[in-house]
Amino acid sequence: MRAARLIKMVLLLQSRPSMTAAELAEELEVSERTVTRDALALSEAGVPVYADRGRAGGYRLVGGYRTRLTGLARGEAEALFLSGLPGALRDMGLADAASAARLKVSAALLPSLSDAPESAAQRFHLDAPGWYQEPETPEWLAAVAEAVWDDRVLSARYRRGDAEVERRLEPYGLVLKAGVWYVCARAGESFRTYRVDRFTAASVGEERFVRDEEFDLPAFWAERSMEFARSLLRTEVVLRLSEAGARRLPYVTDRAAAEEALASGAGDGRGRVTVTLPVENEEVAFGQLLSLGPEVEVLAPESLRARFAEAARGLAALYGER
């Protein structure tokens, strides 16, 4: 424990010109008295730690000393690639590994590049959760993450509808989508996706599984996401769109479906195009297409056209001359 703390102290001093005893104590989570003892121990071991006395004093390394203790452990290297997601790292139980990795990288940088971590942090930030919702950390996320990192079999109980099912999973990867965590896992002979917040229990076993080297997490997620989006589009509507309506259609409904519908649409030679658009249902289509106003005319189904006619009469009555 102390050896790790001494190494971290050297790395901290190597990555900064100097640090006060209070700053080191806060970083190392010890008392200032312990910092003083550790600095003395390092000096006795041959590490040139120098203490500047006085109000503006502190500790620093003398003579450009640089340690070679900067090798990244596997967990630290993996966590480093997620260092732009501090909240996600904390939820998965990897905050300490990421902190150690960033410190080692900072210590290994040339002095002229010592401000690179701060510079990047002030220019790029990823805010994963969606708007208008409080992100919640799934109860079993840390256990699932442990199984993913270590290629261990996961025994889980999963809420599906009103029932609970038990699954033996080989978890390949975690995905954070709009504030919701998903685990992509092999169950039996097939790969599936599970929402982590629907787990009611999860246990990481000692058994390890052999990963399929051909599995590509980003490609798998992209394919399943597209399949899921398409599975929701169970109804078709026929529309006549103005040029402005055609431009705006991909922004109010499923983008891929809208672009395919427009590509195969039939123009009337007067700037309007008729398309057949897959939608989730009439209720959803009404809310989406209503935002296009007079730039869209619903031709079918008749029930949806009647709803638009009723909405148009209501708007005319509301905004007509008094």
Side-chain angles (χ1 to χ4, degrees), residues 91-92 135-144 174-176 179-182 195-199:
D91 294 344
M92 289 189 291
E136 295 183 2
T137 302
E139 179 181 359
W140 301 101
L141 177 60
V144 175
L174 281 163
V175 176
L176 178 60
V180 180
W181 285 97
Y182 298 86
R195 281 185 58 150
V196 180
D197 60 3
R198 292 181 181 170
F199 283 14

Side-chain angles (χ1 to χ4, degrees), residues 2 7 27 33 40 66 82 93-94 103 114 117 152 163 193 199 208 215 229 251 271 297 299 306 312 314:
R2 190 190 184 197
I7 292 172
E27 289 281 355
R33 185 185 297 270
L40 180 60
R66 301 189 71 78
L82 298 175
L94 298 172
L103 181 58
S114 61
R152 291 186 182 274
T193 303
F199 283 14
R208 281 188 167 88
F215 179 82
Y251 299 97
E297 179 186 359
L299 303 179

Side-chain angles (χ1 to χ4, degrees), residues 109-120:
L109 291 175
L110 294 173
S112 60
L113 299 176
S114 61
D115 66 336
E118 292 78 12
S119 177

Side-chain angles (χ1 to χ4, degrees), residues 236-256:
E236 288 186 344
V237 297
V238 182
L239 313 172
R240 183 182 291 127
L241 298 154
S242 67
E243 292 182 1
R247 287 194 302 269
R248 291 168 53 191
L249 184 64
Y251 299 97
V252 301
T253 186
D254 183 87
R255 189 180 186 89

Side-chain angles (χ1 to χ4, degrees), residues 33-65:
R33 185 185 297 270
T34 299
V35 169
T36 301
R37 288 198 297 265
D38 285 352
L40 180 60
L42 287 172
S43 181
E44 292 174 348
V47 178
V49 178
Y50 181 78
D52 291 317
R53 304 299 178 184
R55 180 177 298 179
Y59 293 91
R60 60 185 175 87
L61 293 176
V62 180
Y65 176 86

Side-chain angles (χ1 to χ4, degrees), residues 144 147 151-158 166-172 183-188 190-194 199 201-205 207-209:
V144 175
D151 294 341
R152 291 186 182 274
V153 172
L154 184 71
S155 298
R157 200 158 61 241
Y158 188 78
E166 293 187 2
R167 290 287 183 267
R168 178 188 181 278
L169 303 176
E170 297 178 1
Y172 272 59
V183 59
C184 302
R186 182 162 56 189
S190 61
F191 287 95
R192 299 185 179 183
T193 303
Y194 301 87
F199 283 14
S203 174
V204 183
E207 179 187 358
R208 281 188 167 88
F209 63 89

